[in-house]
Amino acid sequence: MASPLKSILATLLLLAIALPDCQAKSKPSLLGKQAIHHAIGRQANHIELPKRHKPKFRPGPWKKAHATFYEGGSGTFGGACNYKDVAGEGYGMNTVALSSVLFRNGQACGACFEIKCADSPQWCKLGQPSLFVTATDHCPPNPSLPNDNGGWCNVPREHFDIAKPVFSQLAGYKAGIIPIQYRRLPCKKQGGIRFTILGNPWFYQVIVWNVGGAGDVVSVQVKGDDKLKWTQMERDWGATWKTSAILHGESLSFRVRASDERYSTSWHVTPKNWQFGQTYEGKNFK
């Protein structure tokens, strides 16, 4: 009878002989490796990457609110957004001041709306025609008055204080306040986005206006053609953006992002010798 030790040694010897052969058979050949590589490559070529371009801004859902009117003129209806002359800048008198909930500390400047008088046969114009307006001002709250009796723009009310010259397209002035339906619309503009540069050599402001598409701007970046790299600007107030980066002596480019997350980059819209108080035209949203 064979001893246990001899049996173990025989088993180990057989394993030592068989193992190299198994390893050789298990390794893929160079041809096999190339086949695997090409197969993976073919699969990768069919992966759909996310599209870089977002869809154009589209009309939003209809909502309910109320509207009043206020006095003013071309030089005042752009107040809280810092639009200097709404008629001269292409907005016309079709402008509106928004309550704080809608104004959002100036982010809504430039947004476009369609408004209809609703549910008030006594005051609504026959056929309930639409009024198309741009947000250019802020209707401040009046905490001393109740929300439903004079404090029309108090939080959390969604309210439209319409420029008086165009309010009559919806209803008679005697109505005072009317129920409305409204929705966001894409802004249609002539020409490109405008950049008006103000300030001094140590502090720069840029008013961004005539913005198409969503119309309201959530981010502005500026870049020079020499030392200045892409720099994020901060909202100063309304449609005015600020930076302490040195812009003088550089041809400036601007990158504007709207509330729908679309970007518009305007390359070298100013010459190197641009001047304060001047307005330059860039590329608009299509």
Side-chain angles (χ1 to χ4, degrees):
M1 183 175 180
S3 68
L5 181 59
K6 288 183 178 180
S7 298
I8 293 171
L9 289 174
T11 302
L12 290 176
L13 181 61
L14 290 172
L15 288 173
I17 295 170
L19 185 60
D21 185 56
C22 291
Q23 288 178 335
K25 290 180 180 178
S26 65
K27 290 182 180 179
S29 64
L30 178 60
L31 184 61
K33 289 181 179 180
Q34 291 175 341
I36 293 171
H37 175 76
H38 289 309
I40 293 173
R42 285 195 301 272
Q43 291 295 326
N45 288 336
H46 286 86
I47 294 174
E48 292 187 6
L49 298 176
K51 295 180 180 179
R52 295 179 61 188
H53 300 291
K54 293 184 178 291
K56 293 182 180 180
F57 187 80
R58 299 189 181 282
W62 286 100
K63 299 180 180 181
K64 292 184 177 181
H66 286 81
T68 49
F69 62 87
Y70 73 116
E71 305 273 358
S74 184
T76 60
F77 284 140
C81 289
N82 203 20
Y83 298 137
K84 303 301 185 183
D85 176 7
V86 292
E89 293 175 2
Y91 299 107
M93 293 291 109
N94 289 47
T95 61
V96 65
L98 301 178
S99 62
S100 297
V101 170
L102 294 171
F103 191 66
R104 304 193 308 281
N105 294 318
Q107 183 181 314
C109 289
C112 297
F113 297 88
E114 179 181 4
I115 300 175
K116 286 177 176 286
C117 181
D119 305 322
S120 184
Q122 180 183 1
W123 301 115
C124 294
K125 288 293 181 73
L126 188 65
Q128 296 179 294
S130 292
L131 176 65
F132 301 94
V133 295
T134 303
T136 61
D137 206 354
H138 177 219
C139 179
N142 188 349
S144 64
L145 294 176
N147 290 9
D148 59 352
N149 189 16
W152 310 125
C153 292
N154 291 350
V155 176
R157 291 181 64 95
E158 294 188 354
H159 190 84
F160 291 75
D161 205 15
I162 299 171
K164 185 178 180 180
V166 297
F167 179 86
S168 59
Q169 295 180 34
L170 295 176
Y173 295 123
K174 289 183 179 180
I177 180 170
I178 57 173
I180 63 168
Q181 290 182 330
Y182 77 93
R183 64 173 178 169
R184 284 283 300 275
L185 285 181
C187 298
K188 298 179 180 179
K189 301 298 180 183
Q190 296 293 323
I193 297 175
R194 306 299 206 280
F195 303 91
T196 301
I197 306 177
L198 305 173
N200 57 59
W202 300 275
F203 179 74
Y204 300 83
Q205 293 176 309
V206 179
I207 306 174
V208 182
W209 53 280
N210 199 57
V211 181
D216 52 345
V217 175
V218 299
S219 170
V220 177
Q221 295 176 300
V222 61
K223 180 184 181 303
D225 66 334
D226 188 11
K227 297 179 180 179
L228 183 67
K229 307 303 180 184
W230 280 115
T231 300
Q232 181 67 51
M233 303 186 74
E234 299 177 24
R235 190 187 301 276
D236 193 4
W237 59 285
T240 304
W241 297 76
K242 65 181 180 180
T243 183
S244 56
I246 304 302
L247 308 185
H248 232 258
E250 302 221 28
S251 174
L252 302 177
S253 301
F254 293 95
R255 178 168 292 154
V256 174
R257 179 163 60 93
S259 63
D260 62 351
E261 300 300 319
R262 295 176 68 214
Y263 286 87
S264 177
T265 303
S266 302
W267 293 99
H268 308 299
V269 297
T270 76
K272 284 181 174 290
N273 61 341
W274 59 264
Q275 300 295 316
F276 288 108
Q278 296 296 309
T279 297
Y280 302 91
E281 183 174 357
K283 177 185 176 183
N284 219 328
F285 292 95
K286 295 181 179 179

